[in-house]
Amino acid sequence: MNLYSPYIEFNRKEWAELKEHQTTLPLTEAELEQLKGLNEEVSIQEVEDIYLPLTHFIDLYARVSRELNQLTASFMKKEALPTPYIIGIGGSVAVGKSTAARLLQALLARGKNSPKVDLVTTDGFLYPNAVLQEKGIMNRKGFPESYDIKSLIQFMGDVKSGKPEVKAPVYSHLAYDVIQGEEKQICQPDILIIEGINVLQIKKETPLLVSDFFDFSIYIDAEEEHIRHWYVERFKLLRNTAFQNTDSFFHQRFANIDEEETVRTANQIWQDINAKNLHENILPTKGRARLILKKEADHSIGQIQLRKL
């Protein structure tokens, strides 16, 4: 172990040994199935070895943060307004961010004192398709310029300031668009999880960054070849499921293509869009995360890196 590394590193066995003694796992197999994303392999053992220690670790940080806020307010002789502990989760398309976020939400909500835990994805802050088409960047969807960063920053500021109710736009993967008129209400949660490929990115056009509002940040990592393979496999599953729905944005384009064309199309999309976005805008943000979870080819997490204070 390099004592002078900026990270404290754990292998899977070392990390699993950090979990607190617990007689029963706060999640059933059936509940886990509901939380898993398409083509995402997560076992109960993975929850016990990886996510339980992570949940306990975050709970510790959140409690210390609340105590510090109270001490600060006491020192300044000001009332301490309740503000959520905000966790950011970033990483590539198809790396398993959504599943990780849902798992953390479920486990944290079942922790001590049963905190209120909300989850928001930054997909809702993508510009609507009509705007992307008007700007001529529909093929850049997911790249930094396709997000309404000012609205996302405003949302983060309102939440962190303790506003009683803040609204977030909602995105539909079926429609492949922001749902006009639909919003998710965020009402002073104890913990708020923000998940998206862009949560750790730097955008020069704004004086603040999304990550400026985070109390803790996580990057889900994996070898690019593994992620590409997961993306292709997910695309194949979508062709047989969601793309068959006539309401799907991709129904006419992909519902009836054969297996060979499906694989070729998925690989082309990965190469032209997702890999480019990964190298230019996502992977460079990995070092900004407080915790890096490195996944193996079978989706299991084999290495954990915690950035030192």
Side-chain angles (χ1 to χ4, degrees):
M1 179 182 293
N2 181 3
L3 294 176
Y4 303 104
S5 166
Y7 296 97
I8 303 171
E9 299 187 2
F10 303 84
N11 60 35
R12 185 183 181 90
K13 182 175 182 295
E14 291 169 334
W15 182 259
E17 289 172 351
L18 300 179
K19 63 176 176 285
E20 296 178 358
H21 177 69
Q22 192 164 336
T23 54
T24 58
L25 191 70
L27 199 66
T28 66
E29 288 275 8
E31 289 169 328
L32 178 58
E33 283 299 316
Q34 292 295 316
L35 296 171
K36 285 162 56 175
L38 191 65
N39 195 41
E40 182 70 17
E41 299 296 328
V42 183
S43 66
I44 282 290
Q45 191 65 52
E46 181 84 352
V47 174
E48 185 173 350
D49 289 348
I50 302 298
Y51 287 95
L52 274 186
L54 179 55
T55 302
H56 297 148
F57 186 72
I58 290 174
D59 181 65
L60 171 64
Y61 267 53
R63 282 189 281 120
V64 170
S65 178
R66 286 191 293 269
E67 290 171 5
L68 179 59
N69 287 340
Q70 291 169 356
L71 287 170
T72 302
S74 176
F75 174 79
M76 296 188 300
K77 297 181 172 56
K78 299 287 185 180
E79 181 182 358
L81 293 175
T83 59
Y85 188 83
I86 301 184
I87 303 164
I89 301 180
S92 172
V93 168
V95 80
K97 299 182 305 301
S98 298
T99 296
R102 289 191 292 265
L103 272 171
L104 276 179
Q105 181 187 23
L107 292 170
L108 286 167
R110 300 177 190 201
K112 297 173 183 176
N113 304 318
S114 300
K116 180 184 178 185
V117 186
D118 281 341
L119 169 61
V120 169
T121 69
T122 60
D123 289 342
F125 292 92
L126 283 159
Y127 285 115
N129 288 351
V131 175
L132 294 176
Q133 289 166 350
E134 183 181 336
K135 289 175 175 284
I137 57 171
M138 190 67 181
N139 64 335
R140 301 276 295 176
K141 195 169 189 176
F143 285 72
E145 63 268 28
S146 66
Y147 289 90
D148 185 351
I149 293 296
K150 289 183 179 179
S151 293
L152 179 54
I153 293 290
Q154 183 66 54
F155 168 80
M156 298 297 297
D158 289 345
V159 168
K160 200 60 175 173
S161 68
K163 279 194 173 183
E165 180 180 303
V166 184
K167 296 178 180 179
V170 176
Y171 186 84
S172 166
H173 287 279
L174 184 68
Y176 195 59
D177 203 356
V178 177
I179 305 176
Q180 297 300 314
E182 186 169 334
E183 295 173 314
K184 181 173 184 176
Q185 294 183 340
I186 305 299
C187 303
Q188 295 182 320
D190 298 299
I191 299 173
L192 175 63
I193 299 171
I194 305 291
E195 177 260 309
I197 61 175
N198 62 327
V199 296
L200 296 170
Q201 289 173 12
I202 296 172
K203 191 163 177 69
K204 296 177 182 178
E205 290 80 358
T206 56
L208 291 172
L209 307 176
V210 176
S211 58
D212 288 338
F213 299 93
F214 293 161
D215 296 289
F216 195 83
S217 54
I218 301 169
Y219 184 94
I220 311 294
D221 193 23
E223 295 296 330
E224 182 179 347
E225 183 55 29
H226 298 335
I227 307 174
R228 183 202 61 79
H229 174 72
W230 299 336
Y231 177 79
V232 172
E233 291 301 305
R234 187 175 73 178
F235 195 89
K236 287 161 63 177
L237 286 171
L238 286 169
R239 181 204 61 174
N240 295 326
T241 55
F243 295 169
Q244 297 301 316
N245 188 327
T246 55
D247 291 330
S248 170
F249 179 85
F250 297 107
H251 175 71
Q252 289 188 339
R253 194 180 311 178
F254 300 133
N256 297 313
I257 59 177
D258 61 25
E259 183 84 359
E260 184 179 346
E261 188 177 353
T262 299
V263 172
R264 185 169 58 249
T265 299
N267 276 305
Q268 194 66 51
I269 294 171
W270 176 263
Q271 180 181 323
D272 294 345
I273 299 174
N274 295 322
K276 188 175 182 181
N277 200 10
L278 174 63
H279 287 285
E280 291 181 3
N281 304 302
I282 303 169
L283 194 57
T285 71
K286 180 169 71 172
R288 303 189 70 239
R290 189 65 195 282
L291 188 79
I292 300 171
L293 301 176
K294 180 71 176 287
K295 300 178 76 173
E296 306 294 342
D298 63 355
H299 294 268
S300 67
I301 295 169
Q303 184 184 43
I304 297 92
Q305 293 179 300
L306 175 66
R307 187 154 49 81
K308 295 176 181 175
L309 289 170

